Amino acid sequence: MSEVAENLAQIQAQIARAANNAGRDPASVQLIAVSKTVEMPRVHEAYKAGQRLFGENKPQELVRKRPDLPEAEWHLIGNLQTNKVKSIIGQAALIHSIDSPKLLLEISKRAVEANVVQNCLVQLNISDEENKGGLDEENAKLLLAHAAELPNVQILGLMGMAAFTDDAVLIRSQFRRLRTAAMQFMAFQGPNIRMQHLSMGMSGDFEIAIEEGATLVRVGSAIFGARSLT
Ligand SMILES: *Cc1c(COP(=O)(O)O)cnc(C)c1O
């Protein structure tokens, strides 16, 4: 077995254990293998081991890699600038990082042009750290009200990132904040807004995220190893 395959098997076991501990069906949690900076031979190793969902944080990198593995589902998890929207429409199965009305408007416009429906998550800033990006609850509500009016976009839930800390109590409270927000936002439920996904949890905290309701966990270094800081 390749190292990547071994890591994937171990993480799937941890996901199942965390879900069972929380009284959840392990099948309700999907693993996104975050392949940013990882070159395609190792991404293919993961695919051969059965991994189907991959996450990239840069639109250019997603667009470059996807044709090499079009059968996989490619998720954009990183910040998206308005001028990059056109390149990513119809390429990303899900864009996790919607954080402004302007960005969502551009996505809607480009999705109409391309005749596709673009699935999106609204990113919430659950750590109150400025470098993390994302909206607070009040602005997320305004965004959802706006989204209800927009064609060719579908909001499927929320994404958040916990603080980078060893404080498990703090991390748990931040994930809980995302779940609480999603429950409040059920009030916005409509034809193109459904609160069905919570994208939260990374290599260091995905088990806590699952205990708090994550349906999508985004795990990179625990699968592919540490990334070089280039
Ligand atoms: C890089 C990244 C991850 C994965 O981080 P790891 O700690 O390597 O698991 C998850 N989410 C986002 C938004 C990222 O940019």
Side-chain angles (χ1 to χ4, degrees):
M1 227 205 259
S2 72
E3 192 191 340
V4 166
E6 274 175 28
N7 291 343
L8 277 169
Q10 192 185 330
I11 287 159
Q12 288 293 3
Q14 286 173 274
I15 288 173
R17 201 177 322 126
N20 286 325
N21 283 346
R24 299 182 55 200
D25 177 0
S28 66
V29 184
Q30 286 181 287
L31 172 63
I32 300 174
V34 176
S35 49
K36 62 189 183 196
T37 77
V38 177
E39 284 314 319
M40 285 310 289
R42 282 163 63 74
V43 178
H44 277 281
E45 277 179 30
Y47 188 83
K48 282 196 205 103
Q51 181 61 33
R52 291 295 176 266
L53 275 52
F54 294 90
E56 290 289 339
N57 67 337
K58 294 198 179 110
Q60 313 89 288
E61 197 172 337
L62 188 155
V63 169
R64 174 170 69 79
K65 287 173 168 177
R66 183 175 177 265
D68 200 349
L69 202 47
E71 307 82 9
E73 207 178 273
W74 292 87
H75 291 231
L76 185 71
I77 61 173
N79 180 260
L80 177 59
Q81 286 170 332
T82 321
N83 63 359
K84 298 280 166 55
V85 166
K86 190 170 190 255
S87 69
I88 201 79
I89 287 296
Q91 307 263 334
L94 186 63
I95 299 174
H96 292 229
S97 47
I98 306 304
D99 61 359
S100 80
K102 183 170 154 242
L103 177 61
L104 195 62
L105 183 64
E106 176 70 8
I107 289 174
S108 172
K109 193 176 123 196
R110 297 298 183 183
V112 168
E113 279 173 13
N115 196 27
V116 296
V117 173
Q118 181 64 57
N119 292 327
C120 299
L121 303 178
V122 174
Q123 184 176 351
L124 228 63
N125 187 332
I126 52 177
S127 66
D128 288 326
E129 290 173 342
E130 273 184 30
N131 61 354
K132 284 274 180 1
L135 298 168
D136 62 21
E137 283 81 350
E138 286 314 307
N139 283 304
K141 279 184 199 166
L142 294 174
L143 184 75
L144 289 172
H146 177 61
E149 309 294 321
L150 294 176
N152 296 49
V153 290
Q154 187 131 243
I155 306 286
L156 296 180
L158 304 179
M159 183 270 236
M161 259 187 275
F164 188 64
T165 167
D166 306 331
D167 184 346
V169 174
L170 180 63
I171 291 171
R172 186 178 296 281
S173 74
Q174 293 176 349
F175 289 147
R176 198 164 288 176
R177 178 173 167 184
L178 198 71
R179 187 184 54 187
T180 304
M183 279 159 48
Q184 287 174 357
F185 298 168
M186 291 283 184
F188 290 89
Q189 211 84 331
N192 71 334
I193 302 178
R194 275 175 286 146
M195 286 294 132
Q196 61 189 39
H197 279 303
L198 286 177
S199 168
M200 57 188 195
M202 313 188 357
S203 292
D205 55 22
F206 69 89
E207 289 159 296
I208 302 174
I210 290 167
E211 288 166 10
E212 295 303 325
T215 64
L216 295 167
V217 292
R218 310 177 309 267
V219 178
S221 48
I223 298 171
F224 296 110
R227 289 176 294 271
S228 56
L229 296 170
T230 49

